[in-house]
Amino acid sequence: MDEERWALLEKRLAALEARVADGADPRDDDRFWALRELKRQAEGRSHVLFTGSVTLPTGASFEWQETVEVSSMLQADPTQAVAALSALAHPVRLQLLHKVLHGRHTVPELGEGLGTSGQLYHHLRQLVAEGWLTTSGRGRYDVPAERVVPFLTLLAAAGLR
């Protein structure tokens, strides 16, 4: 083996040993960088982290990160999440949020193909009541910045790819 190849092999081995010494799994190919950092900062406690850097089709950009300690979630009453999750548990409401993320913000824009105006307002009220949408006095609906990444995280957790 020539010296150049030997030096390259030694360099790669040193990098691999450094990653193992840091507690990294050498097979993860840096896929779990966020997990490693979460574990480092968590100091032995269990946490769930969700984060995202999102640019929507409208050009609007959002960055969000939230870390939740698991012990608090396991001690809390899970039925407290029913209203927020129920607001999303209807095809029309999911389509409404999807349309808003794509830049449709007024009732006429949102209502195309989604039923009567009475049904539409019923669904919009539920989404607003649970904080998935906000409304301005001008009949415009938006997904609040603090809900964009959590909503997309729920869709990803449900298997939407």
Side-chain angles (χ1 to χ4, degrees), residues 54-60 98 100-103:
V54 176
T55 301
L56 297 176
T58 63
H98 192 256
V100 172
L101 291 176
H102 279 84

Side-chain angles (χ1 to χ4, degrees), residues 88 94 97-98 101 132 147-156:
L88 299 176
L94 288 174
L97 282 169
H98 192 256
L101 291 176
W132 293 106
R147 287 294 192 135
V148 172
V149 171
F151 174 64
L152 294 172
T153 301
L154 283 170
L155 293 180

Side-chain angles (χ1 to χ4, degrees), residues 45-56:
R45 297 183 317 257
S46 296
H47 286 81
V48 171
L49 167 71
F50 58 98
T51 186
S53 177
V54 176
T55 301
L56 297 176

Side-chain angles (χ1 to χ4, degrees), residues 14-131:
L16 183 60
E17 287 174 337
R19 288 180 68 197
V20 170
D22 288 342
D25 183 336
R27 298 165 294 174
D28 72 15
D29 216 9
D30 211 31
R31 288 176 292 168
F32 295 105
W33 56 270
L35 178 59
R36 280 195 308 277
E37 183 60 20
L38 175 65
K39 289 170 75 173
R40 187 185 69 73
Q41 290 189 21
E43 300 173 345
R45 297 183 317 257
S46 296
H47 286 81
V48 171
L49 167 71
F50 58 98
T51 186
S53 177
V54 176
T55 301
L56 297 176
T58 63
S61 294
F62 302 91
E63 292 183 341
W64 187 260
Q65 175 176 303
E66 189 164 347
T67 307
V68 182
E69 193 164 353
V70 171
S71 63
S72 65
M73 286 193 303
L74 292 177
Q75 292 174 10
D77 177 4
T79 62
Q80 292 175 340
V82 168
L85 293 173
S86 293
L88 299 176
H90 193 284
V92 170
R93 292 192 285 274
L94 288 174
Q95 288 177 326
L96 287 168
L97 282 169
H98 192 256
K99 284 184 173 192
V100 172
L101 291 176
H102 279 84
R104 297 183 193 119
H105 300 284
T106 64
V107 173
E109 292 171 334
L110 294 169
E112 295 172 15
L114 294 183
T116 68
S117 62
Q119 293 168 332
L120 182 64
Y121 280 108
H122 165 76
H123 293 302
L124 289 168
R125 275 193 301 276
Q126 281 199 278
L127 291 168
V128 169
E130 293 306 321

